[in-house]
Amino acid sequence: MSNRIRLALQKSGRLSEDSFDLLARSGIKIRRHRDQLFCHSENFPIDVLLVRDDDIPALIMEQVCDFGIVGLNVLQEASLAQNAQDFTDRVDMIHKLNFGFCRLSVAVPRDFEYKSVNDLAHKSIATTYPHLLQNFLDKENIQAKSIGLTGSIEIAPRLGIADAICDLVSTGGTLEANHLKEVQTILHSQALLIKAKPALDRDKQKTADLFIRRIQGVLLASESKYIMLHAPKDKLKQIVAILPGVEHPTLMTLEGDPDKIGVHAVCGESVFWETLEALKEAGASSILVMPVEKMMM
Ligand code: PRT
Ligand code: ZN
């Protein structure tokens, strides 16, 4: 019985590079060839299927692949397009991945006088996300016409095809260039690691657990910082309380300086300049903050 698991990734697009980068940071080497749909890792029992992002939820649902990386926007649209219960029975969301950030928003021409969502009543809205849009309109109790388009949504109002659009936005540059303004956010999205829910056989499950631990380790490490400082003994409690996300710091005696103590800790949250200033204010000195490369709890 093979212990190899199969991962579906976007072949080429906004999620591809970050997805491969995440695998590389997890120590998983993948040799990619141009135009190849299937590639293998030499140092981890994983095979990668390269597809369009829209196909990834179905590949997981049908257990063609064990894992996938896809935007929440695509996942939720797919879920609403199916029987939602059936979908949640078959697809598990494992982790947010901290890349592919965007939002699904309604935008209208700049001269459209928009005061509230009620202004969308009886309007036509062009989108590639008809289910997410309809779900939003239903919740808001708005009757509007959804027009399904597959690309270049942002030019629909200028062509007279629709009054408004519902599309992904990240910087807002595309809306700006097309004289549109964002008026309503429907969904905040980022890339997710998803998994087929049904149980795997024992050997594959071992690989799957190892894979998830690797990904978690990378995410944990990228959010964490290692901090070292010297603290006056009588200020120790106060200084440790300032360290973000630290429960059990390591304390060390300092040779030749009996009034101070060395503090080493992994901060599970961001360490800002303001944190360093607060530490200094509280009496800390020789403060050093370093990135964490790998982590396993
Ligand atoms: O060929 P395939 O189907 O795989 O790719 P695709 O063209 O459908 O998707 P792709 O590569 O454009 O996006 C893949 C995923 O990246 C999306 O499903 C989102 O989860 C995520 N993502 C993040 C984005 C954006 N940011 C984004 N800005 N997807 C699309 N856009 C587009 C948006 O549609 C609009 O045209 O970028 C434009 C707006 O960008 P700004 O920066 O001008 O606001
Ligand atoms: Zn797509």
Side-chain angles (χ1 to χ4, degrees), residues 20 29 133 157 162 164 174 179 249 266 292:
F20 276 101
K29 285 188 194 151
L133 174 62
T174 304
H179 311 287
V266 175
V292 175

Side-chain angles (χ1 to χ4, degrees), residues 42-231:
E42 305 148 3
N43 67 345
F44 195 91
I46 197 164
D47 301 317
V48 177
L49 188 62
L50 297 169
V51 292
R52 290 197 59 186
D53 66 343
D54 317 75
D55 294 334
I56 293 176
L59 290 168
I60 302 298
M61 261 194 100
E62 300 305 328
Q63 286 177 267
V64 176
C65 293
D66 308 300
F67 287 91
I69 292 181
V70 72
L72 175 66
N73 51 308
V74 169
L75 187 72
Q76 289 214 339
E77 180 67 17
S79 152
L80 291 169
Q82 319 261 340
N83 172 333
Q85 188 56 50
D86 189 29
F87 194 85
T88 40
D89 286 346
R90 297 212 243 165
V91 181
D92 228 356
M93 194 193 105
I94 303 290
H95 248 292
K96 293 179 180 169
L97 297 176
N98 283 335
F99 63 82
F101 287 100
C102 59
R103 51 200 187 272
L104 181 67
S105 291
V106 175
V108 296
R110 265 186 221 150
D111 56 5
F112 186 119
E113 280 187 35
Y114 184 94
K115 290 183 205 70
S116 78
V117 65
N118 295 323
D119 295 324
L120 296 176
H122 311 296
K123 297 285 190 281
S124 54
I125 309 173
T127 190
T128 13
Y129 295 89
H131 296 92
L132 278 165
L133 174 62
Q134 197 55 52
N135 193 47
F136 165 77
L137 294 171
D138 290 348
K139 275 191 190 149
E140 296 289 339
N141 218 358
I142 302 286
Q143 303 265 345
K145 189 176 169 203
S146 156
I147 297 177
L149 293 182
T150 50
S152 307
I153 308 291
E154 59 280 354
I155 59 167
R158 250 190 303 159
L159 296 179
I161 298 172
D163 302 304
I165 69 163
C166 170
D167 198 12
L168 298 174
V169 184
S170 55
T171 63
T174 304
L175 294 184
E176 183 74 29
N178 288 282
H179 311 287
L180 298 168
K181 59 182 178 187
E182 188 177 358
V183 291
Q184 192 77 45
T185 298
I186 292 182
L187 178 80
H188 287 277
S189 180
Q190 62 172 288
L192 307 171
L193 177 67
I194 58 171
K195 179 183 177 295
K197 233 176 195 175
L200 296 169
D201 66 54
R202 209 186 55 193
D203 291 344
K204 272 192 172 190
Q205 189 59 51
K206 269 191 180 167
T207 311
D209 292 343
L210 193 62
F211 178 60
I212 293 172
R213 273 207 299 280
R214 290 266 187 111
I215 301 286
Q216 279 170 337
V218 171
L219 296 172
L220 218 62
S222 64
E223 285 161 9
S224 303
K225 293 282 177 281
Y226 193 79
I227 189 161
M228 301 198 288
L229 56 85
H230 294 172

Side-chain angles (χ1 to χ4, degrees), residues 237-270:
K237 257 196 169 167
Q238 190 188 340
I239 287 174
V240 169
I242 297 170
L243 296 173
V246 171
E247 282 174 26
H248 307 294
T250 307
L251 305 179
M252 278 167 277
T253 51
L254 295 175
E255 189 65 27
D257 195 346
D259 298 332
K260 284 189 181 166
I261 198 148
V263 180
H264 286 204
V266 175
C267 296
E269 297 161 25
S270 305

